[in-house]
Structures are given as structure tokens and as C-alpha cells.
Amino acid sequence: MKVLVINCGSSSLKFQLIDPVTEEVAAKGLCERIGINGSMISYTPAGGSKIKKEVPMENHTDAIRLVIDALTNEETGVVKDLSEIDAVGHRLVHGAEEFACATLVTPEVKAAIEKCCDLAPLHNPANLIGIEACEKLMPGIPQAGIFDTAFHQTMPEEAYVYGIPYEYYKKYKVRRYGFHGTSHDYVSERAAAMLGKAREDVKVIVCHLGNGSSISAVKNGKCVDTSMGMTPIEGLIMGTRCGDIDAGVIEFIAKKENMNIDQIMKMLNKESGALGISDGFSSDFRDLEDAFLDGTSEDATRAMKAFAYRVAKYIGSYVAAMNGVDAICFTAGVGENSPILRTMICNDYLSNYLGITLNEELNALRGKEVDIATPESKTRVLVIPTNEELAIARSVYQLVK
Ligand code: ADP
């Protein structure tokens, strides 16, 4: 069984060919700068080295064609022909209230994704283009979609409703949806396994901390709250996104700086978060962490502290939402790789009321699943590398087997 997992952005396309049963990755790669000068494809077959070349790609159909050529190449390919690919799984961003689980792509499903384009104007159109390119070049191979919002569809109304006139929900479905759902689902499932318990018996908080960051409360295997909202700008402080903000700030800055709503949204999405708080020092947590540890930049220190504080504040609110917690899980680029941020979050804010103590030797490990709390710790702290591609491949397998 082989599933081709596709993650299609407006100018990029990531892919992995995965066996969902053995969990082996046969090959993976990335098409970049699609439709722009200098398009590149990189391709790495299992056990082989990375092949990177510049090839013109006018659109996503060209990109998919190159992916198929790479996978079936006589020397470096990993399948003889397309008949060895059993299904394609697409990572899709916004499924609104239409999709609560993985789904096979049909004309009706495509129409429903299109309906959700208003809610994710940057992502859903690109996702649809990816699906259509695959349908054209891989006819007869089942296509499935897995939505970033799906796992969060179990949130109760009190968690997803915004404090604005209800008519906007009724008219436009304005509400919290949440993102990174595949990761929150995968990590919370692994957390239960690491705790040696059934998913139905545990309360976990998943901190997906990357360039985009979100946190979720998962009670008995179901998401009950998450920090991203109708769009991915809400919640935690991120690389360049502001996260939670007083709506009054928008009006104040717009008037002072004579900015329109598009300029304001660009500032809040691209110039804010850690980049903004560090006064332009960096949006990359490696840079911020290095400067913070060396004590060379007050700007980096400010961003690191504000980031850790916001995560800790959300953890506190989710302990309340679930009336308890068994484990705090860290995942994604920052969550998996930054012992210092885990220490700041746990030692400065969670040690007393959650009774957390960290084993700093275990906290220094990288790249594997590990419980970094001491045996005495009253709450477990788990580092769990996320694997969205594998989670997608597994869901697709369940659908098509
Ligand atoms: P996204 O998928 O949202 O683009 P990732 O999950 O790949 O983000 O995370 C990217 C972030 O992880 C970057 O800010 C990067 O600096 C950070 N990161 C990666 N490795 C480390 C590390 N060793 N220490 C601290 N931060 C790291």
C-alpha cells in the first residue's frame, strides 16, 4: 500500500510517498516557486541522497507531472508506474463545519471546499488546484482530503462562539475553527500511548509550536478547545503573527498611521509576533534563542519571554477548560527543538500548581518521543515529534482500504 501525500500551497507543493502500514517513507520532496522564475524541485528517495534541480513550472499541474516523473524515474524512482500508488491524500486547510473527518474527493466535496474559500482565501484555492492537477494526471487513483480544521469540530459551542452578534455566525459561520488539526490529533493519540492509557481516559494539552503556533485541549480523545480561530492569526504569539490582540488596537493604529484594513492585516500577519516584539530582530526562534542565551539582545529576550508567557497562560486556561490535565505535550519546530523554551514555560509557570519538575537531561534530547518530567512530577511533560504526513496517510488508508 502506498499513499502519496500532497501539501499544496499557493507557490509550493510538498510531497511524500508513504506506506501507511509499515510507516516507511519511500520518497519525499518539494516543488518551490511554482509560477515564479527559478522554480525548483527537490526529491529524496529513501536511502538515497537529495536531488535538487531548477525546472520551469508554470502551474501546479507542471509540478505534479515532475513529482510523478521523479517517483517513476528509472534510476532514482521508487515505483515502476502509477499503478503502484493506491491513493492520494491532500492536506486541506479549511473545511469549516462541512468536514469533521477525512473524506474522499467527489465533485460535491470539491464544491464544498470551494464554498469554504471565503474563510481561507490564501489556502483553499491552492488546495483545490492541487486536487485538480492530481485528478488530471492520475486518473482513477482515489483522492482524499484531510482538513486542518476537522479534528477541532468536536469543540462545544461555548468554546467556538465569539462574543459578537450571533447573526454573523448565522449568516457567515463566523466562529472559532482551529488549525493544525492533523498534528493535534496525531500528538494527542501518541500521548495516550506514551501514558499507557486509552485515549478515552486522558486529558492532554498539545502545544504545537512552530512558525505558526497553536495549542489545544484534548479531553478523552476529543478536542474541546484550541487557540487558533476562524483564521490562523488568533491565539499564541507566532513567528510573525500577533495572536490574541485587543480589537481596539486595530482602530487606534489605523487612525494614527492612516492605514487601511489590508495594511493592518498585513502588519498583524507578517510584521508582528516574535518578529514585531523583538523590534525586527528575527521571527526565527533559533536566532531568538541564541541571542537570549548569550544575553546579547534585549529585543530577543523580550520576544522569548512574551512567547513563553502566552503559552503558559493558555495552558492554564485549558487546565480549567478540562478541569485537570494528565500531560502537557510539545511538538513542531520550536516545541520539539527548544529545551530552553520548554524549561521557561514549565519551570516559571507550571511547577507549583501542576507539580511539574523536569529532568533536564531528558529535556536536552532531540528528535524522539520522550517524557521529560521527573518520576515525581505530578503532571507528565511529553515531547512528541509530529508527523502530519503519516497521520494523513493513515487516514487515507482507513478510507480506501
Ligand atoms: P511551520 O511548519 O509553522 O513553518 P515549523 O514547525 O517547521 O514551522 O517550525 C519552525 C520554527 O522552529 C522556526 O522558528 C525555527 O527557528 C524553529 N526551530 C527549529 N529548530 C529549532 C531549534 N533547534 N531551536 C529552536 N527553534 C528551532
Side-chain angles (χ1 to χ4, degrees):
M1 177 89 191
K2 285 198 173 69
V3 177
L4 178 61
V5 178
I6 301 270
N7 184 350
C8 204
S10 53
S11 67
S12 71
L13 186 154
K14 289 187 210 147
F15 63 95
Q16 282 196 18
L17 188 66
I18 302 179
D19 184 324
V21 182
T22 62
E23 303 191 356
E24 274 163 32
V25 177
K28 61 181 172 183
L30 167 70
C31 299
E32 292 168 278
R33 301 180 62 85
I34 301 169
I36 311 173
N37 281 343
S39 322
M40 308 269 269
I41 178 168
S42 58
Y43 167 79
T44 314
S49 43
K50 190 181 203 170
I51 304 162
K52 193 165 181 175
K53 55 182 178 185
E54 203 175 314
V55 206
M57 285 175 235
E58 260 181 40
N59 51 41
H60 289 76
T61 309
D62 288 349
I64 297 280
R65 195 174 286 123
L66 286 163
V67 171
I68 295 172
D69 288 349
L71 292 171
T72 55
N73 182 284
E74 267 190 17
E75 280 165 31
T76 51
V78 290
V79 290
K80 273 208 196 74
D81 57 55
L82 288 184
S83 67
E84 286 183 45
I85 298 176
D86 299 278
V88 182
H90 296 268
R91 179 186 179 184
L92 305 175
V93 171
H94 216 308
E97 290 181 345
E98 313 275 336
F99 300 99
C101 57
T103 181
L104 276 173
V105 176
T106 61
E108 294 74 37
V109 166
K110 281 201 289 180
I113 299 171
E114 193 145 16
K115 239 178 75 186
C116 306
C117 281
D118 257 7
L119 291 168
L122 294 179
H123 294 101
N124 275 31
N127 294 162
L128 266 177
I129 290 171
I131 291 176
E132 279 169 357
C134 287
E135 282 178 336
K136 190 162 146 196
L137 297 174
M138 308 169 83
I141 299 180
Q143 314 271 328
I146 287 82
F147 292 87
D148 256 22
T149 48
F151 180 64
H152 304 301
Q153 275 296 298
T154 49
M155 267 187 289
E157 192 177 37
E158 59 270 30
Y160 72 66
V161 73
Y162 283 129
I164 58 173
Y166 197 61
E167 77 175 274
Y168 299 116
Y169 172 69
K170 287 193 286 191
K171 273 207 247 171
Y172 309 118
K173 297 283 177 205
V174 173
R175 51 159 283 183
R176 170 183 315 288
Y177 290 99
F179 297 86
H180 295 136
T182 310
S183 176
H184 288 282
D185 185 12
Y186 174 83
V187 170
S188 55
E189 185 189 16
R190 290 301 312 145
M194 286 174 77
L195 296 172
K197 291 195 174 160
R199 257 191 121 170
E200 294 68 34
D201 296 330
V202 291
K203 296 172 181 174
V204 299
I205 293 174
V206 178
C207 309
H208 177 111
L209 311 178
N211 187 30
S213 295
S214 66
I215 176 163
S216 68
V218 185
K219 187 177 178 183
N220 308 335
K222 294 204 162 65
C223 173
V224 295
D225 205 348
T226 190
S227 60
M228 281 180 169
M230 183 179 91
T231 75
I233 199 176
E234 197 186 348
L236 300 175
I237 288 166
M238 308 183 212
T240 62
R241 282 176 239 158
C242 61
D244 297 341
I245 189 174
D246 173 2
V249 169
I250 293 172
E251 185 199 16
F252 184 87
I253 295 180
K255 284 187 174 158
K256 287 278 181 205
E257 299 275 321
N258 200 15
M259 286 160 83
N260 64 30
I261 194 67
D262 291 339
Q263 291 167 316
I264 288 279
M265 290 316 292
K266 182 169 168 261
M267 179 270 287
L268 295 176
N269 271 303
K270 309 249 185 230
E271 296 155 22
S272 298
L275 178 67
I277 295 173
S278 68
D279 202 15
F281 183 86
S282 180
S283 66
D284 191 302
F285 279 91
R286 272 167 296 207
D287 302 340
L288 294 164
E289 189 180 303
D290 290 347
F292 169 70
L293 289 172
D294 295 347
T296 50
S297 163
E298 277 177 23
D299 293 324
T301 300
R302 188 185 316 118
M304 290 284 285
K305 285 188 168 174
F307 178 81
Y309 179 70
R310 180 76 58 91
V311 174
K313 212 158 97 162
Y314 260 97
I315 290 173
S317 68
Y318 287 171
V319 174
M322 297 192 290
N323 205 349
V325 66
D326 297 303
I328 312 292
C329 313
F330 289 99
T331 193
V334 179
E336 290 167 30
N337 293 300
S338 180
I340 180 66
L341 273 165
R342 294 193 295 255
T343 301
M344 287 164 78
I345 294 164
C346 293
N347 289 6
D348 294 352
Y349 302 106
L350 312 178
S351 51
N352 276 345
Y353 84 105
L354 292 183
I356 285 177
T357 47
L358 293 186
N359 175 326
E360 284 301 340
E361 256 172 55
L362 294 175
N363 187 28
L365 296 176
R366 272 170 210 236
K368 59 180 203 172
E369 289 183 352
V370 56
D371 181 344
I372 60 172
T374 61
E376 299 75 41
S377 183
K378 293 201 178 67
T379 308
R380 307 319 305 159
V381 181
L382 310 175
V383 176
I384 302 178
T386 193
N387 194 339
E388 288 161 289
E389 289 77 14
L390 175 61
I392 290 173
R394 280 185 188 156
S395 299
V396 173
Y397 173 63
Q398 291 305 327
L399 266 180
V400 301
K401 78 173 176 188

Short mmCIF file of all heavy atoms in Angstrom, two decimals, residues 126-159:
data_model
loop_
_atom_site.label_atom_id
_atom_site.label_comp_id
_atom_site.label_asym_id
_atom_site.label_seq_id
_atom_site.Cartn_x
_atom_site.Cartn_y
_atom_site.Cartn_z
N ALA A 126 -5.56 27.15 -3.49
CA ALA A 126 -4.34 26.39 -3.85
C ALA A 126 -4.57 24.90 -3.63
O ALA A 126 -4.16 24.06 -4.45
CB ALA A 126 -3.16 26.88 -3.01
N ASN A 127 -5.26 24.56 -2.54
CA ASN A 127 -5.55 23.14 -2.26
C ASN A 127 -6.39 22.53 -3.39
O ASN A 127 -6.13 21.41 -3.84
CB ASN A 127 -6.33 22.99 -0.95
CG ASN A 127 -5.54 23.39 0.28
OD1 ASN A 127 -6.12 23.63 1.33
ND2 ASN A 127 -4.24 23.46 0.18
N LEU A 128 -7.37 23.30 -3.86
CA LEU A 128 -8.24 22.80 -4.94
C LEU A 128 -7.45 22.59 -6.24
O LEU A 128 -7.66 21.60 -6.94
CB LEU A 128 -9.36 23.81 -5.20
CG LEU A 128 -10.67 23.59 -4.47
CD1 LEU A 128 -11.63 24.72 -4.80
CD2 LEU A 128 -11.31 22.25 -4.83
N ILE A 129 -6.55 23.52 -6.51
CA ILE A 129 -5.72 23.40 -7.72
C ILE A 129 -4.91 22.11 -7.64
O ILE A 129 -4.77 21.37 -8.63
CB ILE A 129 -4.79 24.63 -7.85
CG1 ILE A 129 -5.62 25.87 -8.20
CG2 ILE A 129 -3.72 24.40 -8.90
CD1 ILE A 129 -4.84 27.18 -8.13
N GLY A 130 -4.38 21.79 -6.45
CA GLY A 130 -3.60 20.56 -6.26
C GLY A 130 -4.44 19.32 -6.54
O GLY A 130 -3.99 18.37 -7.19
N ILE A 131 -5.67 19.34 -6.03
CA ILE A 131 -6.57 18.20 -6.25
C ILE A 131 -6.84 18.03 -7.74
O ILE A 131 -6.75 16.93 -8.30
CB ILE A 131 -7.92 18.40 -5.50
CG1 ILE A 131 -7.69 18.32 -4.00
CG2 ILE A 131 -8.96 17.38 -5.95
CD1 ILE A 131 -8.93 18.60 -3.16
N GLU A 132 -7.13 19.15 -8.40
CA GLU A 132 -7.48 19.06 -9.83
C GLU A 132 -6.29 18.61 -10.68
O GLU A 132 -6.45 17.83 -11.63
CB GLU A 132 -8.10 20.37 -10.31
CG GLU A 132 -9.57 20.35 -9.87
CD GLU A 132 -10.33 21.64 -10.01
OE1 GLU A 132 -9.74 22.66 -10.41
OE2 GLU A 132 -11.54 21.60 -9.69
N ALA A 133 -5.11 19.06 -10.32
CA ALA A 133 -3.90 18.63 -11.06
C ALA A 133 -3.72 17.12 -10.91
O ALA A 133 -3.41 16.41 -11.87
CB ALA A 133 -2.68 19.38 -10.54
N CYS A 134 -3.93 16.59 -9.69
CA CYS A 134 -3.78 15.15 -9.47
C CYS A 134 -4.86 14.37 -10.21
O CYS A 134 -4.59 13.31 -10.78
CB CYS A 134 -3.84 14.82 -7.97
SG CYS A 134 -2.37 15.31 -7.11
N GLU A 135 -6.09 14.90 -10.19
CA GLU A 135 -7.18 14.20 -10.90
C GLU A 135 -6.84 14.07 -12.38
O GLU A 135 -7.09 13.04 -13.01
CB GLU A 135 -8.49 14.98 -10.74
CG GLU A 135 -9.13 14.76 -9.38
CD GLU A 135 -10.41 15.59 -9.19
OE1 GLU A 135 -10.57 16.63 -9.87
OE2 GLU A 135 -11.23 15.21 -8.36
N LYS A 136 -6.25 15.14 -12.92
CA LYS A 136 -5.94 15.16 -14.35
C LYS A 136 -4.82 14.17 -14.68
O LYS A 136 -4.90 13.43 -15.66
CB LYS A 136 -5.50 16.60 -14.70
CG LYS A 136 -5.38 16.88 -16.15
CD LYS A 136 -5.38 18.40 -16.35
CE LYS A 136 -4.50 18.78 -17.51
NZ LYS A 136 -4.18 20.22 -17.52
N LEU A 137 -3.78 14.17 -13.85
CA LEU A 137 -2.59 13.37 -14.19
C LEU A 137 -2.61 11.96 -13.62
O LEU A 137 -1.81 11.12 -14.00
CB LEU A 137 -1.33 14.10 -13.73
CG LEU A 137 -1.08 15.45 -14.41
CD1 LEU A 137 0.10 16.16 -13.79
CD2 LEU A 137 -0.86 15.27 -15.91
N MET A 138 -3.48 11.73 -12.65
CA MET A 138 -3.53 10.40 -12.03
C MET A 138 -4.97 9.89 -12.04
O MET A 138 -5.53 9.60 -10.97
CB MET A 138 -3.00 10.48 -10.59
CG MET A 138 -1.64 11.15 -10.51
SD MET A 138 -1.14 11.53 -8.82
CE MET A 138 -0.49 9.98 -8.35
N PRO A 139 -5.57 9.78 -13.23
CA PRO A 139 -6.99 9.41 -13.27
C PRO A 139 -7.21 8.01 -12.69
O PRO A 139 -6.35 7.14 -12.84
CB PRO A 139 -7.33 9.45 -14.77
CG PRO A 139 -6.02 9.32 -15.47
CD PRO A 139 -4.98 9.90 -14.57
N GLY A 140 -8.32 7.84 -11.99
CA GLY A 140 -8.64 6.52 -11.45
C GLY A 140 -8.04 6.25 -10.09
O GLY A 140 -8.41 5.28 -9.42
N ILE A 141 -7.08 7.08 -9.66
CA ILE A 141 -6.50 6.87 -8.32
C ILE A 141 -7.32 7.68 -7.32
O ILE A 141 -7.52 8.88 -7.51
CB ILE A 141 -5.01 7.30 -8.29
CG1 ILE A 141 -4.22 6.46 -9.29
CG2 ILE A 141 -4.44 7.19 -6.88
CD1 ILE A 141 -2.74 6.77 -9.36
N PRO A 142 -7.84 7.03 -6.25
CA PRO A 142 -8.70 7.76 -5.31
C PRO A 142 -7.95 8.93 -4.66
O PRO A 142 -6.78 8.81 -4.30
CB PRO A 142 -9.05 6.71 -4.24
CG PRO A 142 -8.62 5.41 -4.77
CD PRO A 142 -7.65 5.62 -5.88
N GLN A 143 -8.66 10.05 -4.54
CA GLN A 143 -8.10 11.24 -3.91
C GLN A 143 -8.89 11.47 -2.62
O GLN A 143 -10.11 11.41 -2.63
CB GLN A 143 -8.32 12.47 -4.80
CG GLN A 143 -8.00 12.30 -6.25
CD GLN A 143 -6.56 12.63 -6.55
OE1 GLN A 143 -5.97 13.48 -5.91
NE2 GLN A 143 -5.99 11.93 -7.51
N ALA A 144 -8.16 11.75 -1.55
CA ALA A 144 -8.85 12.03 -0.29
C ALA A 144 -8.36 13.36 0.26
O ALA A 144 -7.24 13.78 -0.02
CB ALA A 144 -8.59 10.91 0.70
N GLY A 145 -9.20 14.00 1.05
CA GLY A 145 -8.82 15.27 1.66
C GLY A 145 -8.85 15.16 3.17
O GLY A 145 -9.76 14.54 3.73
N ILE A 146 -7.85 15.74 3.81
CA ILE A 146 -7.82 15.77 5.28
C ILE A 146 -7.68 17.24 5.67
O ILE A 146 -6.71 17.91 5.32
CB ILE A 146 -6.64 14.93 5.83
CG1 ILE A 146 -6.93 13.44 5.66
CG2 ILE A 146 -6.44 15.18 7.32
CD1 ILE A 146 -6.65 12.88 4.36
N PHE A 147 -8.67 17.74 6.40
CA PHE A 147 -8.72 19.18 6.70
C PHE A 147 -8.03 19.50 8.03
O PHE A 147 -8.19 18.78 9.01
CB PHE A 147 -10.18 19.63 6.79
CG PHE A 147 -10.87 19.58 5.46
CD1 PHE A 147 -11.48 18.41 5.03
CD2 PHE A 147 -10.87 20.68 4.63
CE1 PHE A 147 -12.10 18.34 3.80
CE2 PHE A 147 -11.49 20.62 3.40
CZ PHE A 147 -12.11 19.45 2.97
N ASP A 148 -7.31 20.63 8.02
CA ASP A 148 -6.66 21.12 9.23
C ASP A 148 -7.65 21.46 10.34
O ASP A 148 -7.31 21.51 11.51
CB ASP A 148 -5.90 22.41 8.89
CG ASP A 148 -4.42 22.17 8.78
OD1 ASP A 148 -4.04 21.00 8.57
OD2 ASP A 148 -3.66 23.14 8.93
N THR A 149 -8.88 21.74 9.93
CA THR A 149 -9.91 22.15 10.89
C THR A 149 -10.70 20.96 11.45
O THR A 149 -11.39 21.10 12.46
CB THR A 149 -10.92 23.09 10.19
OG1 THR A 149 -11.31 22.47 8.96
CG2 THR A 149 -10.33 24.45 9.89
N ALA A 150 -10.59 19.80 10.79
CA ALA A 150 -11.53 18.70 11.08
C ALA A 150 -11.48 18.23 12.55
O ALA A 150 -12.52 18.09 13.19
CB ALA A 150 -11.25 17.52 10.16
N PHE A 151 -10.26 18.03 13.07
CA PHE A 151 -10.14 17.47 14.43
C PHE A 151 -10.81 18.37 15.48
O PHE A 151 -11.26 17.89 16.52
CB PHE A 151 -8.65 17.26 14.76
CG PHE A 151 -8.41 16.69 16.13
CD1 PHE A 151 -8.86 15.42 16.45
CD2 PHE A 151 -7.73 17.43 17.09
CE1 PHE A 151 -8.63 14.89 17.72
CE2 PHE A 151 -7.50 16.90 18.35
CZ PHE A 151 -7.96 15.63 18.67
N HIS A 152 -10.86 19.65 15.18
CA HIS A 152 -11.40 20.60 16.17
C HIS A 152 -12.92 20.73 16.12
O HIS A 152 -13.50 21.49 16.89
CB HIS A 152 -10.77 21.98 15.97
CG HIS A 152 -9.27 21.98 16.03
ND1 HIS A 152 -8.57 21.53 17.13
CD2 HIS A 152 -8.34 22.34 15.12
CE1 HIS A 152 -7.28 21.64 16.89
NE2 HIS A 152 -7.11 22.12 15.68
N GLN A 153 -13.55 19.99 15.21
CA GLN A 153 -15.00 20.12 15.06
C GLN A 153 -15.79 19.61 16.27
O GLN A 153 -16.99 19.85 16.39
CB GLN A 153 -15.47 19.43 13.78
CG GLN A 153 -15.37 20.32 12.53
CD GLN A 153 -16.28 21.54 12.62
OE1 GLN A 153 -17.49 21.42 12.70
NE2 GLN A 153 -15.69 22.72 12.62
N THR A 154 -15.10 18.92 17.18
CA THR A 154 -15.80 18.43 18.39
C THR A 154 -15.91 19.50 19.48
O THR A 154 -16.53 19.26 20.51
CB THR A 154 -15.04 17.22 18.98
OG1 THR A 154 -13.66 17.57 19.07
CG2 THR A 154 -15.20 15.98 18.12
N MET A 155 -15.30 20.66 19.25
CA MET A 155 -15.37 21.72 20.27
C MET A 155 -16.82 22.06 20.59
O MET A 155 -17.65 22.18 19.69
CB MET A 155 -14.75 23.02 19.72
CG MET A 155 -13.32 23.21 20.03
SD MET A 155 -12.78 24.85 19.50
CE MET A 155 -12.80 24.70 17.73
N PRO A 156 -17.13 22.24 21.88
CA PRO A 156 -18.51 22.64 22.21
C PRO A 156 -18.75 24.10 21.83
O PRO A 156 -17.82 24.88 21.69
CB PRO A 156 -18.57 22.45 23.73
CG PRO A 156 -17.16 22.59 24.19
CD PRO A 156 -16.29 22.09 23.07
N GLU A 157 -20.02 24.42 21.72
CA GLU A 157 -20.41 25.76 21.28
C GLU A 157 -19.78 26.86 22.14
O GLU A 157 -19.31 27.87 21.62
CB GLU A 157 -21.94 25.86 21.33
CG GLU A 157 -22.48 27.07 20.65
CD GLU A 157 -24.01 27.08 20.68
OE1 GLU A 157 -24.60 26.66 21.69
OE2 GLU A 157 -24.60 27.51 19.68
N GLU A 158 -19.73 26.64 23.46
CA GLU A 158 -19.20 27.71 24.32
C GLU A 158 -17.73 27.99 24.03
O GLU A 158 -17.22 29.06 24.33
CB GLU A 158 -19.40 27.39 25.81
CG GLU A 158 -18.75 26.11 26.31
CD GLU A 158 -19.66 24.89 26.21
OE1 GLU A 158 -20.52 24.86 25.30
OE2 GLU A 158 -19.51 23.96 27.03
N ALA A 159 -17.03 27.02 23.43
CA ALA A 159 -15.62 27.24 23.09
C ALA A 159 -15.46 27.88 21.72
O ALA A 159 -14.49 28.58 21.48
CB ALA A 159 -14.86 25.91 23.14
#
